[in-house]
Amino acid sequence: MNLSVNYAGVTFKNPITVASGTFGSGVEYSDFVDLNRLGAVTTKGVADHPWEGNPTPRIAETYGGMLNAVGLQNPGIDVFVERDIPFLKQYDTGIIVNVCGHSEEEYVNVVERLNDVDVDMLEINVSCPNVKEGGIAFGTDPKQLNHVTKLVKSHSNKPVVMKLSPNVTDIAEMARAAEDGGADGISLINTLTGMKIDVDRRKFVLANQTGGLSGPAIHPVAVRMVYQASHAVKIPVIGMGGVMNAYDALELILAGATMVSVGTANFINPNATIDIINGIEEYMKKNGVDDINDLIGAVE
Ligand SMILES: Cc1cc2nc3c(=O)[nH]c(=O)nc-3n(C[C@H](O)[C@H](O)[C@H](O)COP(=O)(O)O)c2cc1C
């Protein structure tokens, strides 16, 4: 039985990775999860200098999900390269580095710094709803997305995956803008912008007022968008959004995803990724599927 996939020229032992920002750089989870079993670890977004993130409270539970406005708190690329990469290198797993920035220059600084670092792929976050500059501004306008993609590609020697926002009218257009800019792949979906109000206090629950909605509540939106985006382009897709179990992951694969990221589920069940990999194996055995690649985009 084959679970390995080729994504943008890189072979991963299975299609399961973690969604950026929900797994740190793996350190916090390594007591619970055998990182050697994951197809890849996708790291928390890293910028060219340390970011403090947004004021608290910045997390709230919602029906079937959560809102977060963490604001891409991170220690900056220098600490990341010296501390987090050597940690991950101890394991037999792929490394996908998620990159964030406030400006074109900041994105370029990070990707250039990573040119000499041995990681498999970059995922460029142009879709965070919680930072005021950069982030989502690049991810909701196809022209800007196309431009940033070209820029990052011209400064990087690694495969580049553009992470798309669901906060758009036409996801197929965004997928094509990334492909046309030279992206090696696309990943989606990032969080959907939401808001929660404390009725008793008549105040916003999050200090940032708005936050990104994630978890099972957004899963059907993710399935629809992964289907539409993967049919609009030839480059491979990493699907994510509310994946809680193997069936949710398989749904995204059948919709057209080559790989799947697991995010919010890690907060509920730290072992979610392993349960999902085991569940995919069981499904394949039960249904006589020898190669996971036969399931990619196989919905009829
Ligand atoms: C607390 C939290 C932090 C996140 N941080 C990042 C981040 O740093 N970079 C990024 O591209 N996406 C980030 N995301 C978005 C996730 O990677 C993912 O796209 C989204 O949560 C949908 O997947 P899920 O429903 O499985 O969580 C974050 C999500 C959460 C909940």
Side-chain angles (χ1 to χ4, degrees):
M1 196 162 65
N2 175 49
L3 257 82
S4 76
V5 292
N6 183 302
Y7 189 100
V10 185
T11 302
F12 296 96
K13 68 170 77 166
N14 66 59
I16 300 300
T17 181
V18 291
S20 177
T22 64
F23 207 76
S25 288
V27 183
E28 300 92 328
Y29 280 86
S30 55
D31 286 345
F32 308 102
V33 178
D34 179 5
L35 301 183
N36 295 305
R37 290 211 55 205
L38 301 180
V41 170
T42 304
T43 65
K44 170 81 188 156
V46 63
D48 72 347
H49 62 281
W51 291 9
E52 276 186 17
N54 287 324
T56 55
R58 51 190 193 178
I59 279 190
E61 264 190 61
T62 60
Y63 294 121
M66 64 179 280
L67 286 170
N68 95 82
V70 171
L72 303 178
Q73 180 178 351
N74 77 90
I77 187 70
D78 290 334
V79 172
F80 177 80
V81 168
E82 276 150 40
R83 185 192 65 189
D84 297 8
I85 296 295
F87 171 80
L88 285 172
K89 279 281 163 202
Q90 303 172 87
Y91 296 93
D92 177 24
T93 185
I95 304 176
I96 304 173
V97 179
N98 184 281
V99 175
C100 56
H102 291 119
S103 64
E104 292 179 7
E105 196 192 349
E106 289 186 13
Y107 281 102
V108 168
N109 289 343
V110 181
V111 302
E112 282 190 337
R113 181 80 163 72
L114 288 165
N115 278 341
D116 299 331
V117 182
D118 185 18
V119 298
D120 293 299
M121 240 161 41
L122 308 184
E123 180 181 58
I124 312 296
N125 181 7
V126 283
S127 46
C128 181
N130 303 320
V131 291
K132 289 202 173 56
E133 302 128 34
I136 200 152
F138 292 130
T140 49
D141 174 350
K143 283 203 188 81
Q144 285 206 51
L145 173 63
N146 183 267
H147 173 72
V148 179
T149 308
K150 281 185 180 147
L151 186 76
V152 168
K153 274 297 289 177
S154 70
H155 287 271
S156 178
N157 61 9
K158 306 267 185 306
V160 168
V161 178
M162 299 304 288
K163 183 160 177 181
L164 305 184
S165 171
N167 301 300
V168 296
T169 311
D170 185 354
I171 195 70
E173 185 187 15
M174 301 305 288
R176 282 192 291 265
E179 180 177 56
D180 181 70
D184 300 286
I186 49 173
S187 62
L188 68 158
I189 58 176
N190 208 317
T191 54
L192 285 146
T193 311
M195 182 182 272
K196 184 170 178 171
I197 294 171
D198 181 330
V199 173
D200 290 322
R201 291 170 56 239
R202 300 186 192 173
K203 289 198 185 310
F204 298 104
V205 170
L206 298 174
N208 191 53
Q209 298 187 355
T210 59
L213 182 65
S214 63
I218 71 169
H219 183 63
V221 179
V223 176
R224 187 261 295 177
M225 287 196 160
V226 163
Y227 178 81
Q228 289 176 330
S230 64
H231 282 75
V233 294
K234 293 196 179 66
I235 51 177
V237 172
I238 304 176
M240 73 195 90
V243 171
M244 305 303 286
N245 55 46
Y247 265 62
D248 295 340
L250 286 161
E251 224 181 323
L252 290 177
I253 291 171
L254 290 169
T258 300
M259 294 181 78
V260 171
S261 311
V262 180
T264 301
N266 294 304
F267 297 143
I268 299 157
N269 169 16
N271 210 42
T273 43
I274 305 301
D275 293 347
I276 288 168
I277 295 165
N278 291 340
I280 291 176
E281 279 175 352
E282 268 171 44
Y283 173 91
M284 288 172 66
K285 260 187 225 144
K286 210 165 92 190
N287 292 280
V289 180
D290 293 329
D291 187 348
I292 187 87
N293 291 281
D294 293 341
L295 296 176
I296 300 170
V299 64
E300 288 173 8

